[in-house]
Amino acid sequence: MTTFFAILFYAAFAILVVGVGLKVAQYARTPAPLKIPTTPAPLTPAGAAFRVGREVALFESLFKANKPLWIFAMVFHLGLALVVVRHLRYFIDPVWAPIVWLQPFGIYGGMAMLAGLAALFVRRIVIQRIAYISGPSDYLMLALLLAIGASGMMMKMVAHTDIVAVKSFFLGLMVFDIRALPADPILAIHLFLVALLMLVFPFSKLLHAPGVFFSPTRNQADDPRERRHLAPWAAQLERERN
Amino acid sequence: MAADTKIPAMGDPAERAIPCLQPDAMAQSKPYVAAPAHNEPLGFPGELVPDWQEKGIARMGELLGKYKSLQVYMDICVKCGACTDKCHYFLGTGDPKNMPVARQDLFRSVYRRYFTPVGKALGAVGMGKLVGAREFTKEVLDEWFNYFHQCSQCRRCSVFCPYGIDTAEVSMAARDIMDNIGLGHKYANEIIGKVHKIGNNLGLPGPALIDNLEGLEEDLKDETGQDIRMPVDQEGAEILLVTPSADFFAEPHVLGLMGYAKVFHAAGTSWTLSTKATEAANFAMFIGNYEQMQKIAMRIREAALELGVKRIIFGECGHAWRVAYSFLNTLIGPMDFLDPRYPKPQHILEFTYDLIKRGGIKLDKSGNDGMVLTFHDSCNVARASRMGDFAGGQFVIPREVIKACVPKFVDMHADTIGEKTFCCGGGGGLLTDELMDVRIKGSAPRMEALNDVVKREGVTHMAAICAICKAQFTKVLPTYGFDREMIVSVHQLVSNAIVLGNND
Ligand code: HEM
Ligand code: HEM
Ligand code: SF4
Ligand code: SF4
C-alpha cells in the first residue's frame, strides 16, 4: 500500500502542477484584444487588482446575484480553506505557529465544508434551473469532495489514524524516502480520493480557482480613452494594413 | 409571428417571478439567413460551406487563441447557476436555453469535445456526455443559429457571475464562427455591407443626407426663429459629430439630433457632420468580427483627418458608444491629431452636462411641462463603457441632464437600472422584424419596471440614449398597452428646455 500511494501521489502531484501550470501559462499568454471590463469598473490597474481580490475573498458578484448561494459558497470555501491550511502540518516541520493556533478550529472547518457541500448538492437537485444546467461531472465533483470530507471527519471523530506516521510518510515523499503509511482503510480512501481530486483538477471546472484571476471583465481597468490598448495580433494586423 | 406573441404578465418588479422552465419554447425563433449577396462583400463564404464542421472548429481554435475571455470562460464556469435568472430573454420566455450558462453551454459543449483532453478522449468513444462534450453536428449548429440570436450581448449576466463570465463574448465568437462558415445573419450582414458601400446603416447617400438636414434646418428656423445650422463636411470645424443614422430620420431620434444642434448653437461651438462618417453604429461588434469592426471605425478616423477637426463627439447610441469609448482608441488610435484637452472621443451628454455645470447653456423646465420622466440605462453604456471622469458617470450624467430639463424625474426599481439595467430586448443585432416575438418577450422585465413607476409615480415618458432602444420601444410599447411616443431622446428634452437667443 505504501508503494502504491507513493507512486500515486508522485503522479498526481506531477499532473496537478504541470496541468495547472500549462493552463495558467495559456491564460496568461492569450491576449485580450479589446477592453471589456464590466462597468462601472475601477479606473486604475491597482483598483482592478483590488476588484479581483474582492471577488476571490468575498465573492462580491455572487453576493449581488444570489444571497443563499453566496452563503453556501462561503461556508464551503471558507471551510475548505481552513481544512487545507490545517493540513499543512502534514507537510512542514516544524509547523508554523499560525497553523498551530488554527488546529482547534479544524473540526469546524470540516463541518462547514461538509455542510456547504451538502447544501450545494441539494440545491443542484431541487432547483429546476440548476438541475437543468448540471451534468454528471457537476454532481461527481461535489460527491468527490463530500467523500473526501466525510472520510477525513471519520478519521477525526470515529476511527483515528496514526497521524504522526502519516506526516512521516509525506515528509519522506518530499525527500524521496519512502516511509511506511499506516494500513488504515479510511485513510486509504481519504488519500485515494485526494489523489483523484488532484488528477482531475487541471481538466475540470476546478480551474475556476486560477482562472478567476484572468477574467478580463474583472481584471481590466477602465481607462481605454487614456491608454491605448493593443494586443500583439491586432498590432500585427495594423502593420500589415499600413 | 408577433401577432400571436403571448405577452408576459407585468407584476411587481421587487418580486419578479422566475419562470418555470419551458424547454424549447423558443426553439423556432431565428433570424433570416444571409444570402451570398450579404456575405460575400464582407469576405465571408456566400453560403454554408460543405466542410463547415472542420472549418468551424478551426475558426473556434483561432478565436480561442486570440481572445483571453473566450479561452478562460470556456474553462472556468462552475455551473453555479447565479446567472440563470438574470437574462431578460429567459425571464420573458422561460426557455432554459436562454439562461446565460445554458447559452454558453451550446458553445462550451463543442469546445469540450474538440479542445479539451478529457472531452476528446471520452468523445472519441461516444461518452462525451459525461463531461458535457458534444459533436459539432448540424443540429448543434442550428441551435447555435437560433439561440445565439436570442442574446442581445447586453452583459447583464456578466455582472452577476462570480468570475464575470460574459455571455456576450461567447455569442460574438459563435456568430463570428458562423459567418466564417457561411451561415450569416442577414439583418446584420446586410447592414454592414451598406456601411462599407454607402457609409451608414440606412444606406443613405450623401446628397440625400444633405437634403434632409436642410429640411431640419428649416424646421428649426420655424420653431425657434433662429438660424440653427446642421453643417456637413465643414473643413476646419472644431467638432466632428458622429451619430447613428437613425438620428437623421426616425422619431424620436431626430428630435434628439435637433437637440444636439441647438446645444452646439447655444454654446457657439463650430461643428460638422461628415458624409463619410454618417454612422456611429458598428454592427460588426454584434457579429464579433474585429476586422469588420475596425474597417467601419476607420471611416471616422479618415473623416476627422480630412476635415481637420479637433474633437470627435458621439451622439446618443448605446453599442456605438461602447465601440467609441472602449474600442476606438484600440481600433483606430492613436488619435493624436485631436485636441488633447478633451476626451477622445467624447459623448454628447458629457458635452451638454459640462455646459450645464458651467452655466454655458440655459434651460427652462417649463419647456417640458407636464412630463414625468424616467430613464432607461442602455446596456452598452451602463455595463460596457463610461461617461465623465469617475466610475459610474454613465448613470449620473444622463440623469443630471434630464433633471435639469424636466419638472419631475423618478427612477425605476433599483434592480432594473444602473449596472443591473435590463436590455430593451432589441439589442445585439436583434432589431429585425422576424425576431419580433423574442423582442417583445425580452422587453418584459423593462416593461414591468416601467409599468410600476407609471402606476406609482405617474411617469409619462421614458428617456433613452440609444438608437436601438428607441426603435425597439417604439415598436414594443404599444404591445404592452403604452403609447409609442412615451419613449424620448434625452436631447429631445434638452431641445424642449433650452433657452436660445440674446446672441443675435
Ligand atoms: C481562488 C480560489 C477560489 C475561488 C475564488 C472560488 C470561488 C468559487 C465560487 C464563487 C463558486 C460559485 C459558488 C458555489 O457554487 O459555491 C465556486 C464553486 C465551486 N468551487 Fe470554488 N473557488 C476557489 C477555489 C476552489 C478550490 C481550491 C476548490 C476545490 C478543490 C473549489 C471547489 C469548488 C466547487 C466544487 C464548486 C462548485 C460548487 C457547486 O457545485 O455548486 N474552489 N468557487
Ligand atoms: C495529501 C493530502 C492529505 C492528507 C495526507 C490528508 C490526511 C488527513 C488526515 C490524516 C486526517 C485526520 C486528521 C485527524 O485525525 O486529526 C484528515 C482529515 C480531514 N481531511 Fe484530509 N488529507 C489530505 C487532503 C485533504 C483535502 C485536499 C481535503 C479537502 C478537500 C481534506 C479534507 C479533510 C477533512 C475535512 C478532514 C477532517 C477535518 C480535519 O481534520 O481538518 N483532506 N486528513
Ligand atoms: S448577454 Fe444579455 S442577452 Fe446575452 S445571455 Fe447575457 S443577459 Fe442574456
Ligand atoms: S454565474 Fe458564471 S460560473 Fe455561475 S453558472 Fe453562470 S456563467 Fe457559470
Side-chain angles (χ1 to χ4, degrees), chain B residues 55-102:
Chain B
K55 286 249 165 61
I57 294 164
R59 181 65 183 170
M60 186 184 282
E62 228 175 285
L63 294 178
L64 286 164
K66 280 181 161 184
Y67 289 86
K68 194 196 293 276
S69 50
L70 191 63
Q71 175 60 60
V72 173
Y73 297 158
M74 280 302 108
D75 283 341
I76 70 174
C77 170
V78 294
K79 309 292 164 76
C80 71
C83 59
T84 51
D85 56 349
K86 302 301 186 280
C87 177
H88 51 290
Y89 291 119
F90 171 68
L91 293 173
T93 67
D95 189 321
K97 290 192 183 119
N98 277 329
M99 299 191 294
V101 47

Side-chain angles (χ1 to χ4, degrees), chain A residues 9 80 83 86-87 90 148 152 155-156 170 190-191 194:
Chain A
F9 270 92
L80 175 68
V83 167
R86 216 173 83 96
H87 274 64
Y90 300 121
I148 293 175
M155 285 186 284
K156 179 91 188 163
F170 279 97
H190 191 67
L191 294 185
V194 168

Side-chain angles (χ1 to χ4, degrees), chain B residues 73-140:
Chain B
Y73 297 158
M74 280 302 108
D75 283 341
I76 70 174
C77 170
V78 294
K79 309 292 164 76
C80 71
C83 59
T84 51
D85 56 349
K86 302 301 186 280
C87 177
H88 51 290
Y89 291 119
F90 171 68
L91 293 173
T93 67
D95 189 321
K97 290 192 183 119
N98 277 329
M99 299 191 294
V101 47
R103 197 187 310 284
Q104 296 160 25
D105 277 351
L106 300 177
F107 193 104
R108 189 176 285 114
S109 55
V110 178
Y111 164 77
R112 287 211 173 139
R113 172 63 185 84
Y114 300 98
F115 294 95
T116 64
V118 180
K120 275 189 227 173
L122 291 178
V125 295
M127 283 171 46
K129 242 186 114 180
L130 202 62
V131 290
R134 288 197 303 178
E135 302 286 322
F136 195 23
T137 60
K138 186 67 172 55
E139 287 75 57
V140 171

Side-chain angles (χ1 to χ4, degrees), chain B residues 83 86-90 97-101 103-104 150-158 165-169 171 379 383 423 430:
Chain B
C83 59
K86 302 301 186 280
C87 177
H88 51 290
Y89 291 119
F90 171 68
K97 290 192 183 119
N98 277 329
M99 299 191 294
V101 47
R103 197 187 310 284
Q104 296 160 25
Q150 294 183 45
C151 168
S152 58
Q153 308 175 338
C154 76
R155 315 182 90 205
R156 191 168 195 268
C157 44
S158 101
I165 295 178
D166 183 1
T167 314
E169 292 290 304
S171 49
C379 10
R383 288 185 283 261
C423 171
L430 271 53

